[in-house]
Amino acid sequence: QVQLVESGGGLVQPGGSLRLSCAVSGSYFRLYAWSWVRQAPGKGLEWVASIINSGDRTDYVDSVKGRFTISRDNEKTTLFLQMNSLKVEDTARYFCVQGWMSLATPRGQGTQVTVSS
């Protein structure tokens, strides 16, 4: 059974940085595009960023462009999201999901990011 374990979240002040990780069990990780999605309290899932299987192409929701960077390590079957210049509105639980610009139902527990002064 595939396991997804997100980590790296926490409490940070506005303007701060965090690096999220998503460890994926199984070598199939390298075959697919992967995405980060987030869910703020009382809201639905929002797609944040995607990366293709080779890592050569990425895309972002407009609200995070220039601040977030998605990357992957196919050898370690791990997905990353570097988040800089964090804003209060970035507060959400972040999940990794398979697919390009995917809003698939998250299979992991996610990691909570709280941006607050």
Side-chain angles (χ1 to χ4, degrees):
Q1 184 176 355
V2 175
Q3 288 188 327
L4 308 175
V5 180
E6 299 95 342
S7 63
L11 173 63
V12 63
Q13 292 185 340
S17 298
L18 286 173
R19 189 189 194 211
L20 306 185
S21 299
C22 172
V24 181
S25 65
S27 59
Y28 86 111
F29 171 85
R30 66 189 66 196
L31 300 178
Y32 297 100
W34 286 83
S35 297
W36 285 98
V37 299
R38 64 187 179 186
Q39 187 165 27
K43 297 188 177 181
L45 279 177
E46 177 186 30
W47 169 74
V48 175
S50 294
I51 186 167
I52 64 170
N53 57 345
S54 66
D56 293 339
R57 180 186 173 192
T58 59
D59 203 358
Y60 302 87
V61 67
D62 285 347
S63 61
V64 309
K65 283 181 180 177
R67 301 189 296 121
F68 290 11
T69 302
I70 188 172
S71 61
R72 62 192 293 162
D73 185 331
N74 284 342
E75 293 301 316
K76 296 182 178 179
T77 63
T78 303
L79 183 72
F80 302 100
L81 185 68
Q82 178 66 44
M83 305 187 298
N84 299 328
S85 302
L86 282 161
K87 302 177 180 180
V88 171
E89 51 264 43
D90 295 318
T91 295
R93 181 164 288 270
Y94 286 70
F95 304 86
C96 58
V97 297
Q98 182 184 320
W100 178 259
M101 299 184 73
S102 175
L103 283 176
T105 300
R107 301 170 71 174
Q109 295 300 309
T111 186
Q112 178 67 37
V113 172
T114 302
V115 185
S116 174
S117 55

